[in-house]
Amino acid sequence: MDQVFKALADPTRRLLLDRLREHNGQTLGDLCERLGMARQSATQHLDILERASLVTVVRRGRERLHYLNPAPIHEIGERWISVFDKPRLRAISAIKNQAEEYAMTNGPTSVPSYVYVTYIRATAKQVWRALTDADLTARYWGHANVSDWQPGSAWEHRRADGSGAVDAVGQVIEAEPPTRLVITFDDAPGAETPREPSVVTFLIEPHHDIVRLTVTHEHLPNQEMLNGISRGWPAVLANLKSLLETGEALPQAPWGMSPAHT
């Protein structure tokens, strides 16, 4: 938290976060051009924001794309603000959701459309199992993710209510346990007008007693799906984090909460 407060104390770094909130996935050159700032100065500020986990960097070839990560700001609200003023926490949650809605690229290159980072007190093997074990996914997601998780195999997102209904399907593209899983994601199986599935990448990076889990969701078909996953992924991953750290999922399904109003 000391690094977060230090990073937020500087108006230039707050401006950088504002610019990323307006348009995520910018290169260093993009940010310098928008702010009229020298590359060396911008790099120093971005390094501080990255160390505070307020900015996440995703590599695309030789480029480094910078994404806003609102999770530390939300944690500040949870620790200090929610105790005193729940309505204000709801407002902060609304800002958090807005910050997670990333602009889709219109260019021919593959730019991640959505990136979310969370830190979990667990081992990489535990996180991998939580992502791939059907019984565990049913506990924190309300759906069992069913597959043998071998490259080329199919996977299904089956409801855990006993109906056996399948709400999403896909194919395993890469599986490197316990650090990397890449799948296609089709949330409209059987639609009259088929469309290209989106792609989800789970990157699991262990560090001592914790894991950094990065979820990248790209090739989204439209703004509606982007809006949906911007609300859905944080809720699902919060439930996963609770299950691994406490042994229990959250008392109520977080995706069932009504959107906050300011």
Side-chain angles (χ1 to χ4, degrees):
M1 282 297 163
D2 289 343
Q3 289 182 321
V4 176
F5 282 116
K6 177 183 177 181
L8 292 174
D10 185 271
T12 300
R13 291 194 282 274
R14 294 197 299 271
L15 183 58
L16 280 167
L17 294 177
D18 284 338
R19 293 298 176 263
L20 288 175
R21 181 170 61 86
E22 294 168 4
H23 179 68
N24 239 323
Q26 296 188 60
T27 64
L28 176 61
D30 294 334
L31 289 168
C32 290
E33 182 178 350
R34 295 190 68 191
L35 297 176
M37 184 184 301
R39 294 177 68 91
Q40 183 177 2
S41 298
T43 299
Q44 292 173 348
H45 286 299
L46 287 168
D47 286 345
I48 293 173
L49 291 169
E50 189 176 354
R51 286 198 297 272
S53 297
L54 289 163
V55 166
T56 299
V57 175
V58 176
R59 292 187 178 276
R60 184 191 63 186
R62 295 182 178 181
E63 292 184 320
R64 287 164 52 90
L65 303 178
H66 299 82
Y67 288 85
L68 174 65
N69 180 34
I73 299 174
H74 180 70
E75 290 173 5
I76 290 173
E78 289 283 357
R79 181 171 179 178
W80 282 285
I81 299 176
S82 62
V83 176
F84 306 103
D85 197 344
K86 289 185 177 180
R88 290 184 181 272
L89 177 59
R90 287 196 295 269
I92 290 174
S93 295
I95 296 172
K96 173 177 179 288
N97 289 335
Q98 181 181 0
E100 289 165 351
E101 294 180 1
Y102 295 156
M104 294 179 63
T105 177
N106 294 319
T109 54
S110 177
V111 179
S113 300
Y114 181 86
V115 178
Y116 190 84
V117 179
T118 187
Y119 294 84
I120 305 172
R121 186 170 183 176
T123 66
K125 289 183 178 180
Q126 288 172 324
V127 175
W128 177 270
R129 182 167 176 260
L131 293 172
T132 57
D133 184 278
D135 292 335
L136 284 179
T137 54
R139 288 183 63 186
Y140 69 82
W141 206 329
H143 287 73
N145 289 342
V146 181
S147 176
D148 63 10
W149 304 110
Q150 297 300 310
S153 295
W155 75 278
E156 292 184 338
H157 194 54
R158 296 179 189 168
R159 294 183 193 175
D161 58 6
S163 67
V166 175
D167 290 322
V169 297
Q171 185 179 41
V172 180
I173 300 175
E174 300 177 38
E176 301 174 10
T179 58
R180 181 177 172 84
L181 177 65
V182 184
I183 59 174
T184 62
F185 188 96
D186 180 0
D187 65 339
E192 293 184 6
T193 306
R195 66 190 183 196
E196 288 295 320
S198 55
V199 177
V200 180
T201 300
F202 301 93
L203 182 61
I204 305 167
E205 300 172 278
H207 180 69
H208 299 301
D209 295 331
I210 67 172
V211 160
R212 177 168 65 187
L213 173 61
T214 303
V215 177
T216 304
H217 202 151
E218 52 193 326
H219 305 315
L220 301 174
N222 50 48
Q223 185 67 36
E224 181 181 359
M225 186 172 180
L226 176 60
N227 293 340
I229 66 169
S230 296
R231 294 187 296 270
W233 277 122
V236 169
L237 296 175
N239 225 14
L240 180 153
K241 177 179 171 70
S242 177
L243 178 62
L244 289 179
E245 292 184 342
T246 71
E248 299 290 339
L250 294 171
Q252 292 84 37
W255 49 84
M257 292 182 65
S258 300
H261 297 283
T262 57

